[in-house]
Amino acid sequence: EWAFVLEYVANGGNATRAYMAAHPAAAYASARTLAARLLAKVNVKNAVHRAAARAGRKRGIDADRVLAE
């Protein structure tokens, strides 16, 4: 799940691509379904939010800056 989360945040939120990167043997149709199932899990959603916030902080992006732009 963590590999999926990292890929999801890195690619800008494409769940299917993230699943396929984390599980290269998965077929496209399976990846779509399984990625959706992963995103439905509360712990995965929370991990995505934490990872995205961490990535934003590393890039110097915060809520005030986003609202200002």
Side-chain angles (χ1 to χ4, degrees):
E1 292 177 352
W2 186 242
F4 169 79
V5 168
L6 293 177
E7 289 292 336
Y8 183 79
V9 171
N11 76 25
N14 185 315
T16 304
R17 274 189 13 212
Y19 193 90
M20 292 182 79
H23 304 279
Y28 181 80
S30 297
R32 284 184 62 195
T33 301
L34 295 171
R37 286 183 189 168
L38 277 178
L39 287 175
K41 292 183 174 185
V42 173
N43 64 323
V44 173
K45 280 185 194 177
N46 291 337
V48 166
H49 289 293
R50 284 192 311 270
R54 199 171 330 155
R57 282 194 304 270
K58 284 183 181 179
R59 293 184 184 110
I61 301 169
D62 61 10
D64 293 331
R65 181 175 171 192
V66 170
L67 292 174
E69 294 178 4

